[in-house]
Amino acid sequence: MTQSRPFVADGAAGIVLPPPRTPAPREAPALNWGVIAPGRVATEFVKALRNHTAQKVVAVGSRDAERARAFAERFDIPAAYGSYAELLRDDRVDIVYVASPHSGHFEHALRAIEAGRHVLVEKAFTRNAREAEELIEAARRRGVFLMEAMWTRFLPHIDVVRQVLDAGLLGEVHTVLADHGQAMEPAPAHRLFAPELAGGALLDLGVYPVSFASLVLGPFASVTAVGTKAFTGVDGQASIVVTTASGAHGVLNTTLFARTPTTASISGSRARLEIDGSFYGPAWVRLIGRDDRTIDRFVPEQRDGGLCYQAAEAARCVSAGRLESDLMPLAETLRIMHVLDTVRRDLGVTFPGE
């Protein structure tokens, strides 16, 4: 069980971080999963399911049959298919995890929805808000569960953050800071530099700080961005300022050009929270007073396999007959996609076919 560890400073007695309410992933009802696109992310997802949940992966589909077979052998998955269509015809599959690059999310998730499968779609949900709207409408017509796999939203330390905000421990929130930058070698063939694959920093990395700011601040009143394009024309770096109707600000950065601290903070009139890098994965949280002293800290007991929490949430929702999650509602996913569209417009970046 992940717990808060009190670390009370002078004059701060009585202000402590609450323990997370996150259910144990292994206790979630077991579903039969099919995995689309057995790449790096799918590998980490299946490892997390095997090590930390009761979920069962029963099929994997790839455009390359040999790749599917190798993945199935590695993880003892019963069925391997050389096409996504074959996987979707397997009636053992309750829910599909779409692990392809985000340029393929719309097509692959739509196929799964039309096949009557529940769907967990890797972030970023789609290339743009128009595609997101179509997926959501299709899932509602078909009556299947749909959720963005923004794994951060389901982690224990984020539940601690939610409770702190709900309890008003920080006072009035004024500023949110968050960044995510990775130093990527410039290679035209790499998907993050390929316009035809919806490359760039924003959808792959920047979605994390944008989603975090949305979680903390709620809907934005304004979104403004400046940036620098990479040599292929995709967004290489973006700095984003968001505001709320109450006057709070979020200052967010993403880049392909440098490894940044990947930290986040929430500053209020009474105290602030700091989340160590990488803030979007299982991380420490510190509650810090106005005197800059640490009042309390939360340390997650589980630092690996963080993708298990999103799978467990999906399994709980599907088993309960729910079509979306309160922790990552579809309306929230759609709002974030609209924000990302706005940022790309400010940067002058469009994808082929838009």
Side-chain angles (χ1 to χ4, degrees), residues 170 265-268 270-274 286-289 292:
L170 304 183
S265 65
I266 307 167
S267 297
R270 187 182 182 196
R272 74 176 183 271
L273 284 182
E274 292 186 352
R286 291 193 303 274
L287 177 65
I288 299 174
D292 263 352

Side-chain angles (χ1 to χ4, degrees), residues 29-99:
L31 298 182
N32 289 335
W33 291 76
V35 173
I36 282 180
R40 180 184 60 82
V41 175
T43 297
E44 294 306 312
F45 182 78
V46 173
K47 284 181 181 177
L49 263 58
R50 286 165 59 92
N51 293 336
H52 301 289
T53 77
Q55 307 303 308
K56 299 176 182 178
V57 182
V58 298
V60 57
S62 173
R63 292 171 297 183
D64 182 331
E66 182 52 42
R67 189 179 189 192
R69 281 194 293 271
F71 192 88
E73 289 175 4
R74 178 179 179 185
F75 294 110
D76 297 321
I77 298 171
Y81 298 110
S83 73
Y84 303 145
E86 290 178 278
L87 180 144
L88 295 175
R89 287 195 293 267
D90 188 333
D91 288 335
R92 292 173 298 177
V93 174
D94 298 318
I95 184 169
V96 171
Y97 174 56
V98 176

Side-chain angles (χ1 to χ4, degrees), residues 226-230 233-239 257 347 349:
V226 296
T228 303
K229 292 182 181 179
V234 302
D235 55 285
Q237 176 160 286
S239 294
F257 304 143
L347 302 184
V349 173

Side-chain angles (χ1 to χ4, degrees), residues 16 43 63 66 131 233 235 250 269 272 275 291 300 303 354:
V16 296
T43 297
R63 292 171 297 183
E66 182 52 42
E131 291 181 345
D235 55 285
S269 57
R272 74 176 183 271
I275 306 176
D291 59 1
R303 297 304 294 265
E354 288 188 320

Side-chain angles (χ1 to χ4, degrees), residues 101-346:
H102 49 250
S103 56
H105 287 178
F106 174 74
E107 175 190 354
H108 302 151
L110 185 60
R111 287 187 187 182
I113 289 168
E114 290 174 344
R117 304 291 183 251
H118 304 294
V119 186
L120 177 64
V121 185
E122 204 24 82
K123 61 83 198 163
F125 191 63
T126 51
R127 298 188 310 160
N128 52 48
R130 178 185 57 79
E131 291 181 345
E133 288 173 351
E134 290 188 34
L135 278 190
I136 292 169
E137 290 171 2
R140 286 173 176 162
R141 283 196 307 270
R142 197 66 174 82
V144 298
F145 174 83
L146 177 66
M147 187 176 81
E148 179 186 6
M150 173 51 72
W151 67 306
T152 308
R153 293 288 183 113
F154 310 98
L155 297 173
H157 77 285
I158 293 299
D159 186 65
V160 173
V161 172
R162 283 192 178 95
Q163 293 183 73
V164 167
L165 295 172
D166 290 345
L169 292 183
L170 304 183
E172 184 179 357
V173 172
H174 291 285
T175 306
V176 174
L177 306 176
D179 73 279
H180 189 182
Q182 302 291 340
M184 307 297 299
E185 290 297 324
H190 194 290
R191 68 177 183 85
L192 291 185
F193 291 102
E196 68 275 13
L197 297 179
L202 187 64
L203 293 190
D204 200 74
L205 308 178
V207 65
Y208 284 115
V210 170
S211 183
F212 179 77
S214 183
L215 168 71
V216 175
L217 298 175
F220 305 146
S222 70
V223 179
T224 307
V226 296
T228 303
K229 292 182 181 179
F231 67 101
T232 56
V234 302
D235 55 285
Q237 176 160 286
S239 294
I240 308 162
V241 176
V242 300
T243 68
T244 67
S246 67
H249 289 194
V251 182
L252 318 171
N253 177 264
T254 186
T255 181
L256 298 177
F257 304 143
R259 180 69 165 91
T260 65
T262 65
T263 57
S265 65
I266 307 167
S267 297
S269 57
R270 187 182 182 196
R272 74 176 183 271
L273 284 182
E274 292 186 352
I275 306 176
D276 290 341
S278 301
F279 77 88
Y280 50 85
W284 284 43
V285 178
R286 291 193 303 274
L287 177 65
I288 299 174
R290 294 174 63 179
D291 59 1
D292 263 352
R293 294 188 181 186
T294 297
I295 299 169
D296 194 10
R297 64 188 175 196
F298 166 79
V299 182
E301 292 183 357
Q302 181 182 320
R303 297 304 294 265
D304 69 325
L307 298 181
C308 69
Y309 290 98
Q310 62 185 1
E313 171 67 7
R316 286 190 293 268
C317 289
V318 169
S319 297
R322 302 183 60 196
L323 301 184
E324 60 182 293
S325 166
D326 289 340
L327 297 181
M328 193 68 218
L330 294 172
E332 170 75 343
T333 288
L334 183 56
R335 275 196 300 269
I336 290 167
M337 291 310 308
H338 277 295
V339 171
L340 299 177
D341 283 358
T342 298
V343 172
R344 285 199 296 116
R345 281 197 297 271
D346 282 357

